[in-house]
């Protein structure tokens, strides 16, 4: 899968759900912790909503929880290691409070199924990504002394009708899931096994959710899917209409509908696949000022032979042509990517191809990973994970160093510009400064003056590091 991730294993972001106004007060308390991609964070909000309807209110204090759920990621081995460590901590809490229900959700639940419950005895409950409606029953089953498992994958579950309870992000920016699952078979990736087949969510429910968010004060939505370019409503994968009485909607058309909710609502999306990203999507980005000029387009490798082993369905040249299309149609667009280094049989020349592609594209940002072999994947079955660990580390360092240089240059180019910034809150370092993002998704920090969270301000960029832009508000 590809998702612009808040990297689970590297940054270890775990977010707890906050009590919000649409959270009916229940007598029982639920604590949820999330790891992994944005999709997982979004799913936890669906889970909170389902549990809320069944009498659970969310808490940020694990010690007052009746049910503890951990939403997990399997994408790399170290993501799973972190979760196992956390589960061991939970187990010691359970030793003191035997009534506490501990459940595992998400990709690890799907991948490991009963083993965490039966062999390792780390949890009481296991629910895969398509089984969240069943959670209240599963919790009840645990209460009657049974081991509760539901890891059935569905062909049509999209949780379309569920109104998520929002994570505590300050109420400015929200994730909206538009599709689930993935039909690509990238040879390194576990996601087709953990999240099942691709399916799109009813566009009307998506637009309504975005309208509600705007009315609640949100000013940015990120449309989420493993491969947003293959969003299709009432269309087969070959583009044929399924039901002639129903409208058809592709991703570009969906973006347009969301963009029309309000010109003050920013639209982002993640993740795009280079083989599917169409000019129609780019043209829609160019047409609407509120569709942000930012694309996350994972390349994975700059070598056509590695891309072939990865089963990515495109070549280096194809990828570079898609980059040219972005530059032509959305000239101010920032581009970020994902890169895997040390994939099976990767030679020094193939690695050099990745570095040269990075130089050719000059990505504004990149998420970079060492290859981590995952059970059951095509790569595990077909190839040997034969690049030694020290070589993987050295190549990763070379890639990171190269990217730092490009990120710094990308930020330096913006000095002197006046940019429209959506204020997200105080900066991490000081309450005298605000932090927000420009349309290209770069973080901008500036003295607060009288500006408020959720407002748009114009900031003149004065300085930068490779990670952040700094400036001052200008009054136009
Ligand atoms: N090893 C390392 N990185 C991986 N990714 C996916 N699977 C693996 C793996 N087995 C990376 C890809 C993907 C991102 C979400 O995680 O770069 O785009
Ligand atoms: Fe998200 Fe699951 Fe993929 Fe991790 S493995 S990035 S949680 S879809």
């Amino acid at each position: 899968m590809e998702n612009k991730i808040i990297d689970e294993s590297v940054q270890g972001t775990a977010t707890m759900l906050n009590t919000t106004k649409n959270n009916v007060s229940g007598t029982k308390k639920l604590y949820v912790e999330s790891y992994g991609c944005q999709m997982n964070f979004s799913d936890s909000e669906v889970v909170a909503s389902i549990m809320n309807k069944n009498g659970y209110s969310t808490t940020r204090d694990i010690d007052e929880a009746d049910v503890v759920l951990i939403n997990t990621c399997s994408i790399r081995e170290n993501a799973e290691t972190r979760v196992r460590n956390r589960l061991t901590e939970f187990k010691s809490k359970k030793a003191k409070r035997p009534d506490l229900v501990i459940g595992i959700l998400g990709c690890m639940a799907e991948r490991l199924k009963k083993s965490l419950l039966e062999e390792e005895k780390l949890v009481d409950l296991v629910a895969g990504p398509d089984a969240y409606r069943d959670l209240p029953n599963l919790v009840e089953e645990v209460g009657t002394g049974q081991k509760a498992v539901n890891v059935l994958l569905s062909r049509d579950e999209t949780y379309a009708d569920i109104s998520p309870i929002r994570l505590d992000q300050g109420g400015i920016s929200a994730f909206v899931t538009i599709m689930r699952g993935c039909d690509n078979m990238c040879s390194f990736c576990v996601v087709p096994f953990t999240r099942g087949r691709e399916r799109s969510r009813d566009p009307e429910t998506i637009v309504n959710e975005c309208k509600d968010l705007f009315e609640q004060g949100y000013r940015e939505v990120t449309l989420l899917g493993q491969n947003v370019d293959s969003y299709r409503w009432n269309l087969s994968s070959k583009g044929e209409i399924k039901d002639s009485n129903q409208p058809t909607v592709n991703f570009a058309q969906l973006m347009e509908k969301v963009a029309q909710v309000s010109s003050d609502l920013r639209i982002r999306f993640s993740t795009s696949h280079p083989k599917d990203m169409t000019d129609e999507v780019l043209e829609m980005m160019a047409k609407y000022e509120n569709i942000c000029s930012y694309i996350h387009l994972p390349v994975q490798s700059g070598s056509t032979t590695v891309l072939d082993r990865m089963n990515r369905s495109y070549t280096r040249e194809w990828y570079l042509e898609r980059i040219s299309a972005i530059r032509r149609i959305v000239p101010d667009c920032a581009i970020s990517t994902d890169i895997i280094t040390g994939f099976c049989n990767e030679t020094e020349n193939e690695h050099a191809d990745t570095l040269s592609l990075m130089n050719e594209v000059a990505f504004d940002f990149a998420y970079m990973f060492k290859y981590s072999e995952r059970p059951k994947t095509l790569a595990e079955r077909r190839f040997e994970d034969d690049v030694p660990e020290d070589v993987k580390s050295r190549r990763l360092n070379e890639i990171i160093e190269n990217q730092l240089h490009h990120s710094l240059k990308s930020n330096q180019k913006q000095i002197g510009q006046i940019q429209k910034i959506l204020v997200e809150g105080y900066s991490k370092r000081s309450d005298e400064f605000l932090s927000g993002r420009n349309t290209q998704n770069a973080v901008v920090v500036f003295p607060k003056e009288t500006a408020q969270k959720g407002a748009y301000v114009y900031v003149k960029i004065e300085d930068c590091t490779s990670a952040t832009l700094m400036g001052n508000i200008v009054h136009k």
Side-chain angles (χ1 to χ4, degrees), residues 183-236:
D183 283 353
N184 297 323
M185 270 288 175
C186 300
S187 64
F188 51 79
C189 191
V190 76
V191 171
F193 306 97
T194 60
R195 289 192 166 261
R197 301 303 299 268
E198 204 166 272
R199 62 223 103 117
S200 298
R201 176 178 169 191
D202 182 338
E204 209 179 306
T205 66
I206 297 171
V207 173
N208 285 342
E209 189 174 324
C210 294
K211 280 185 186 154
D212 279 355
L213 285 164
F214 186 75
E215 276 158 25
Q216 286 170 39
Y218 285 83
R219 289 296 172 263
E220 182 176 273
V221 291
T222 302
L223 306 179
L224 287 184
Q226 261 82 27
N227 179 4
V228 290
D229 301 284
S230 52
Y231 176 87
R232 53 180 78 84
W233 182 250
N234 195 24
L235 284 167
S236 75

Side-chain angles (χ1 to χ4, degrees), residues 17 23 30-34 39-58 67-71 103-106 125 127-136 139 159 162-166 180 195:
L17 291 164
N23 191 3
L30 167 71
Y31 172 92
V32 187
E33 208 169 276
S34 308
M39 184 72 86
N40 257 13
F41 283 72
S42 175
D43 279 0
S44 292
E45 298 177 335
V46 166
V47 165
S49 176
I50 291 168
M51 293 295 284
N52 187 234
K53 290 220 167 62
N54 285 274
Y56 284 83
S57 57
T58 49
V67 176
V68 171
L69 299 176
I70 181 161
N71 199 348
I104 182 164
L105 316 178
L125 175 164
D130 289 342
Y132 299 149
R133 286 183 203 268
D134 199 24
L135 273 170
V139 170
Y159 302 112
I162 291 175
S163 176
I165 288 184
R166 296 293 158 188
R180 302 179 71 83
R195 289 192 166 261

